[in-house]
Amino acid sequence: MTSATDIKQLLQHHGIQPSVQRVAIAEHVLATDRHPSADQVLQEVQRKLPVVSRATVYNTLKLFVEKGLLRQYQIAEGPTVYDANIERHHHLIDEETGRVIDIPWDAVEVKNVEGLEGFEVDSYMVVLRGRRRDGS
Amino acid sequence: MTSATDIKQLLQHHGIQPSVQRVAIAEHVLATDRHPSADQVLQEVQRKLPVVSRATVYNTLKLFVEKGLLRQYQIAEGPTVYDANIERHHHLIDEETGRVIDIPWDAVEVKNVEGLEGFEVDSYMVVLRGRRRDGS
DNA sequence: CTATAAAATTAGACATTGTCTAATTTGGGA
DNA sequence: TCCCAAATTAGACAATGTCTAATTTTATAG
Ligand SMILES: [Mn+2]
Ligand SMILES: [Mn+2]
Ligand SMILES: [Zn+2]
Ligand SMILES: [Zn+2]
């Protein structure tokens, strides 16, 4: 449960003025484990708060990324998606639905990244393609 | 060295009519270890063959992907890129230049992908972010 | 409380990337 | 050579994202 006041405080602690629009956007995008695109966020938010513009959604998502509240990825076909999970983790793309699913960092093991010759690596993730197994 | 006749045979062996445009596109896109976008391919090819249209470049790249001559990725910011390296391998995104660099499959080791609970995995790659080390 | 200025929001223009259609051109084979 | 299916093409259209200039909202100084 993240109440509206909690959201406001969270934004303020990150140096973000909690306007009505920003709180509404935060409530949706920070609470989901989906990986919505900017236009999906716009659709969702407009149901609760009809007076929000496309420009504000794009501006706000960018702001949240800059302030470290969100990550932004371009991993599958289609538009940039936003990710409220800011811990390091991997991603699986469901090839049937196109949906991006979080995979815990320790679910797979990646070795020898530090020893990679000729490169300095800041971060990495495994991107998998497949599908959910039936009972899941 | 991949000569024009070699290219023609390669296309024919993949069931592709080797038109002038397709050969010109193949010469560029199959010979590079860069990861060009469709519009980059268009720019390059038009220098040698001014009579090639945007539609043909998009159509041809799609055809090459369907026929297994090319891979298509959406890994970094920006447009879809095409990859002549059809062996499995990983990718590093140079954060300074934005360039995508191939990393050999055995340069890093990924474990426990088969044991991933709840998912069936068809393929995977490690996507790293960083930069070339000075003398490289 | 009111005035002022800065910050936030907005509509819509614009750019880029990609798809599609309908018309034209090309070229392989009878 | 002729025919016709395949290939190419220009340009319309759609989706995604950026930018600008005008308007609205909000914080705060007086
Ligand atoms: Mn995620
Ligand atoms: Mn590659
Ligand atoms: Zn809640
Ligand atoms: Zn060569």
Side-chain angles (χ1 to χ4, degrees):
Chain A
M1 261 295 300
T2 310
S3 78
T5 26
D6 288 342
I7 291 277
K8 273 187 194 158
Q9 291 200 346
L10 179 70
L11 296 187
Q12 278 167 336
H13 286 152
H14 284 79
I16 299 170
Q17 275 298 326
S19 69
V20 187
Q21 291 89 342
R22 285 171 177 175
V23 170
I25 292 166
E27 274 174 349
H28 279 282
V29 81
L30 299 183
T32 185
D33 65 343
R34 308 269 201 102
H35 296 75
S37 67
D39 271 299
Q40 284 171 343
V41 173
L42 176 64
Q43 304 303 324
E44 280 295 307
V45 170
Q46 278 187 332
R47 286 169 30 183
K48 295 273 170 154
L49 185 74
V51 295
V52 64
S53 72
R54 208 166 73 99
T56 294
V57 170
Y58 275 91
N59 289 341
T60 300
L61 291 172
K62 189 190 209 183
L63 180 69
F64 287 179
V65 170
E66 283 164 11
K67 298 297 188 181
L69 286 171
L70 272 186
R71 296 269 186 278
Q72 189 179 48
Y73 294 116
Q74 182 100 197
I75 44 183
E77 311 274 292
T80 295
V81 298
Y82 294 87
D83 190 343
N85 182 351
I86 60 177
E87 308 293 313
R88 58 184 189 174
H89 59 281
H90 306 291
H91 286 103
L92 183 138
I93 299 157
D94 188 312
E95 293 183 305
E96 277 153 29
T97 64
R99 188 176 295 181
V100 177
I101 301 166
D102 285 350
I103 304 292
W105 187 252
D106 293 325
V108 300
E109 192 181 351
V110 183
K111 292 177 119 173
N112 199 40
V113 167
E114 314 73 35
L116 198 57
E117 281 298 318
F119 300 103
E120 200 174 329
V121 175
D122 292 332
S123 65
Y124 61 93
M125 75 170 59
V126 181
V127 177
L128 306 108
R129 289 180 170 267
R131 65 200 59 69
R132 282 214 146 83
R133 218 171 253 142
D134 44 304
S136 198
Chain B
M1 261 297 301
T2 311
S3 76
T5 27
D6 289 343
I7 290 276
K8 273 186 195 160
Q9 293 201 345
L10 178 70
L11 296 187
Q12 277 168 336
H13 286 152
H14 283 79
I16 300 170
Q17 273 299 326
S19 70
V20 187
Q21 290 88 342
R22 286 171 176 174
V23 170
I25 292 167
E27 274 175 349
H28 279 282
V29 83
L30 298 183
T32 185
D33 64 345
R34 307 271 200 102
H35 297 75
S37 67
D39 270 300
Q40 284 171 343
V41 173
L42 177 63
Q43 303 304 324
E44 280 294 308
V45 170
Q46 279 188 332
R47 286 169 31 183
K48 295 273 170 156
L49 186 73
V51 294
V52 65
S53 72
R54 210 167 72 99
T56 294
V57 170
Y58 275 91
N59 290 341
T60 299
L61 291 172
K62 189 191 211 181
L63 180 69
F64 287 0
V65 170
E66 283 164 12
K67 297 298 188 180
L69 286 172
L70 272 186
R71 295 270 186 279
Q72 188 178 50
Y73 295 115
Q74 183 99 192
I75 43 184
E77 310 274 292
T80 295
V81 298
Y82 294 87
D83 191 343
N85 182 352
I86 60 179
E87 307 293 313
R88 59 184 190 175
H89 60 281
H90 306 291
H91 285 106
L92 183 139
I93 299 158
D94 188 313
E95 294 184 305
E96 277 152 28
T97 64
R99 189 176 296 180
V100 176
I101 301 167
D102 284 351
I103 304 292
W105 187 254
D106 293 325
V108 301
E109 192 182 351
V110 183
K111 292 176 120 173
N112 199 41
V113 167
E114 312 74 34
L116 198 57
E117 281 298 319
F119 299 102
E120 199 175 329
V121 176
D122 292 331
S123 65
Y124 61 93
M125 75 170 61
V126 182
V127 177
L128 306 107
R129 289 180 170 267
R131 66 200 60 68
R132 283 216 145 82
R133 216 169 254 142
D134 44 306
S136 199

